[in-house]
Amino acid sequence: MPYKIDYLDGEVLEWSLTKEGVTCEHITDYTPSLYISAPSHDDLVDVRGFVTRLTEVVQTELEEWRTGWRHTPETVLRIDVDDIADVTSVASDLRGWDVPGTYKCYNVDFSREFRYCLETDTDPTPARTPSTLRIDASESELARGDGIRSLTVGDDSIEGSPAAVAETVASRVATVDPDVLVLSASSIVPKLFEAAPCNCNEYRLGRRPGYQRLAGQSTYESYGNVGHSPARYNLPGRAIVDESNTFLWHEANLSGLLDMVTRSRKPLQEAAWASIGNLLTAIQICEARQQDVLTPWNSWRHEQFKSANQLHEADRGGFIFSPDVGLHEDVHELDFSSLYPNIIVTRNLSPETVRCECHAEREDVPGLGYAVCEDPGYLPDVLRPLIEDRDAIKAEIRETDAPERRHELEGKSEAIKWILVSCFGYQGFSNAKFGRIECHEAINAYAREILLDAKAILESNGWRVVHGIVDSIWVTPMEGETQTPLPNIASDISERVGIRFEYEGEFDWVAFVPLRTEESGALTKYFGARADATDGESRYKFRGIEVRQRSTPPFVAETQKELVETLDHHRTPEAVCDVLQRRLTELRRSAVDPQELVVDNRVSKRRDAYSRATRNAAALERAAADGIEKYPGESLAYVVTDDEKRSRERVTLAHETPKTYDAAFYADLLVRAAESVVSPLGWRESDIREYLSEQTDTSLVRFC
Amino acid sequence: MHSTGTREDVPELPQLTAGVTLVEVDEQAIAPIQALVLDHLLLTEATPTARWIDVFDHIQTRSLSKLAPSRPILDRIQVARAFTPFQHFALVEDLAAEIASGGETPLVVAPALDGLYREPDGNLSSQQASTLLVRAVAKLAGIARRHDVPVVLTRTRDDEFSAPIARAANSVIEVTDTRYGPRFASDEFETLVYPVGNGMIQTTLAFWQRVLEARQPIHAIDSSGHEPTMEVAHGTN
Ligand SMILES: [Zn+2]
């Protein structure tokens, strides 16, 4: 079973791991295939005549395939091309050949290694755990015009002229001979090759000389987030994991990554750089292939007409029961387990079952009246094993004592969790190959109904709902009522709904935070103290407040935790403000290590797109002056040194080891973090400032 | 406060006629279009339903449902949203086929018709995208011509790319904001929709709500949402 596929000199190289090392097989006769459908057989014959004259085309064949999940097989034209790079260009030619939409192309935009595995029915799961070697070069080293002079390989740091560094890295890599190179950034590859003392054609970091560039850098938008994908490089015989461009490596681990390799049939390197959406699509493409369904290049399938009333209903979004702002004692949390995936599975929701033609008269979906087909859909088939496997993995985690096994299992569980969490959003995402908005709406409508039913049952059993969102409900005992024990209610609801409703935990108290400027509660901002925290588990749970926000400096985050602890012990805003006062004093005395004040932000637009002088803009400018160009989606770490300034003097970048900071700016952040903690008790920023000013040391005041 | 119900106070909205009408609106304002559509539906028989081919959430069901004098009228607007040029084109094609095979509709609406074709994805060249748009426009014009249906279009920008939309239009209604309220202007009429309040420009939802409310006594919708048979003289047109 190969774990790495290379396209090299007109051949495919299959690299397989063995106990002793690695083997390489040369495949000389592989030709990638795309497919094309046409309104009539005559049209297909026409286009075949045109296609066979294209120099890139090796062979064509009329074959029977299905062009959609519920379609009967039809005759389509299979087109085999000479080179992997020809697939898209041939498809583009064909699409423009007649009026748009006449010829539709399938199986076009697959990634290289995945395509090979799919078409040759190859499982890319490595036969043993691959060995890894990490190469880390700092951003400022990579920004140097004249090559890398310092980096680390494994545990060793290497320094010298760029040529010497390149030579040492190559010999180190050759000695270790890792299956996977983990790079802090993939641009290390071309940098080393450029600096190599020998001819570029001889220099090697892979298991053959040379390297390939697979894709240029680009900025993309996905689910409304701007991201940056750096250029991608390939080394023959080794897989690359680019730490600046991998989701699974960070969110799961190698075991989780390998689990996804098996499920998605994307070999390790491609699975590492894939987004969750990519992986979900790959899993569905595999399922489609098994059922003789081709994957459309562009989705021409549109949603069906629905009334403005139905659309209005469908747009209402998920279940939300606004939090009852304040601090509540004796709170219990209950969650539906993997609610959305389980709705898909138990309600048979799938792009081809929702509003199916064969059962148009049915009105299954609550509130929307959409039909759901009686025949099984493919999406439940795809998700069921994921849900079941994750349940089994979680059960094993509870049983196992071996830390290594636990680590492995947790990686797998995390990887699957991300797929399950994303499958609902994916259905509503307009560009998802197998997504469908009506399926997304149906899932949402069921979820609402399920949560509303659960709420009603809880209330009729003596429990008051203080907050509910998406798949979770928080309750507290209703005064003057007797309460049915929650485990009993939970199992009753589980049975009725057909989805496990789990007792998640007990809190001594939970505080729901209001919006900064209004009385109403922010939907996902709360913190609380667990009553049942076990050893090694944190007593406190935080959601949405500063300590959970990525950009919050460590000092502010730590202080906020301390404030929550204080609230836990004293339950008064005054006690919290006293602690705040002490931290403000430290700030003013420049007693805080600037590294503890690093703001870690994500770049949202390119440097030249900033029209206002923001802190991010200043930091980007500063980085650029240092030769570091940052792209949207990349992280940007800095300390605010003088917030009054509008120039790049406003900030100092984290890697410049800042010595000073703007105390007033950070004092503001601290006060805001404190406001989140005391606002459930009715104190706002003005109350905090008033209290602080009443304290003896008046010199503090101007800092907050 | 204006009293409503007397003929003089009734705001005048242009009536939609068969053929392609291009409505040129400022800043992609959708409320005037929604008002025209609701008004047209209030004036036609209770069935069948208008078809709205939506992009970029122009339908804005939240404001539409506030604007509508009654909920049942919203059942008579059938919406389908497109998210890619391919889906948009397929929607237009399928709708044309459905109407050709006997499906009745009093009205077809396609706001921001050029919108999706301007930002093609999936390696569609701008030449191919432009061809798709031209064919979509032709399909819609074909519906108007063959089936005597009003087809209302808007575009995101007035330029070379959207010129085919203007060329296909049998009439153009320009909606401009004036200090007295929106003005509808075309070759055949020029209408000020009556100014609510004190001469301030009113393009807000509340404004259009009041316009339709003011017209409602003529349409006389009873509480069940049923419209009685029409006995209505309409505006200037
Ligand atoms: Zn069916």
Side-chain angles (χ1 to χ4, degrees), chain A residues 70 353 356-359 372-375:
Chain A
R70 287 288 172 90
T353 58
C356 69
E357 278 171 25
C358 39
H359 300 88
V372 176
C373 197
E374 287 173 10
D375 300 329

Side-chain angles (χ1 to χ4, degrees), chain A residues 257-453:
Chain A
L257 188 57
L258 292 175
D259 185 78
M260 279 303 140
V261 166
T262 309
R263 291 178 196 277
S264 70
R265 296 224 162 173
K266 274 181 176 289
L268 202 155
Q269 176 170 303
E270 292 190 347
W273 86 50
S275 68
I276 291 300
N278 286 155
L279 291 168
L280 191 51
T281 303
I283 293 171
Q284 294 181 79
I285 291 172
C286 294
E287 174 77 17
R289 180 110 184 163
Q290 287 209 335
Q291 299 191 25
D292 298 328
V293 176
L294 295 172
T295 302
W297 186 16
N298 311 114
S299 174
W300 295 81
R301 192 190 50 200
H302 55 78
E303 72 167 339
Q304 294 168 30
F305 281 96
K306 69 185 81 166
S307 82
N309 272 329
Q310 274 176 311
L311 181 58
H312 186 56
E313 186 68 25
D315 271 355
R316 281 184 9 183
F319 166 82
I320 287 165
F321 181 77
S322 292
D324 190 353
V325 167
L327 190 145
H328 301 271
E329 314 256 352
D330 194 9
V331 175
H332 306 261
E333 182 185 352
L334 300 106
D335 296 343
F336 281 101
S337 142
S338 300
L339 180 64
Y340 290 134
N342 273 311
I343 288 175
I344 292 170
V345 170
T346 56
R347 272 62 174 175
N348 192 33
L349 302 182
S350 192
E352 83 284 19
T353 58
V354 175
R355 301 192 88 182
C356 69
E357 278 171 25
C358 39
H359 300 88
E361 73 294 341
R362 294 177 62 111
E363 290 190 9
D364 296 294
V365 180
L368 298 179
Y370 293 168
V372 176
C373 197
E374 287 173 10
D375 300 329
Y378 86 86
L379 191 56
D381 281 348
V382 167
L383 295 182
R384 199 175 295 113
L386 288 165
I387 298 172
E388 286 169 2
D389 291 358
R390 182 152 185 264
D391 283 348
I393 290 168
K394 281 167 78 178
E396 200 186 331
I397 291 175
R398 283 192 291 272
E399 298 293 305
T400 190
D401 292 326
E404 239 173 70
R405 179 68 183 150
R406 172 182 284 266
H407 180 72
E408 237 173 66
L409 293 168
E410 279 171 348
K412 287 185 183 186
S413 167
E414 274 303 287
I416 301 175
K417 182 193 88 180
W418 279 106
I419 297 278
L420 292 177
V421 164
S422 310
C423 66
F424 164 65
Y426 176 91
Q427 284 298 323
F429 184 51
S430 58
N431 267 332
K433 275 217 178 308
F434 293 103
R436 186 168 173 219
I437 192 110
E438 285 109 325
C439 183
H440 178 89
E441 291 167 352
I443 299 166
N444 220 354
Y446 275 111
R448 280 183 64 86
E449 188 192 54
I450 289 169
L451 267 295
L452 286 172
D453 285 353

Side-chain angles (χ1 to χ4, degrees), chain A residues 186-197:
Chain A
S186 63
S187 60
I188 291 174
V189 171
K191 291 269 176 194
L192 290 176
F193 271 85
E194 277 161 30

Side-chain angles (χ1 to χ4, degrees), chain A residues 3 17 126 128-136 152-155 172-183 205 207 237-243 249 253-255 257-258 268-269 272 407:
Chain A
Y3 86 109
L17 300 185
R128 61 165 165 79
T129 306
S131 59
T132 63
L133 180 67
R134 183 163 184 271
I135 304 180
D136 182 354
T152 61
V153 177
D155 296 327
R172 198 64 57 91
V173 169
T175 312
V176 179
D177 193 22
D179 305 316
V180 181
L181 273 180
V182 180
L183 307 176
L205 294 171
R207 284 167 167 146
R238 286 191 226 287
I240 292 177
V241 172
D242 174 354
E243 288 182 324
W249 186 261
N253 54 30
L254 184 59
S255 319
L257 188 57
L258 292 175
L268 202 155
Q269 176 170 303
H407 180 72

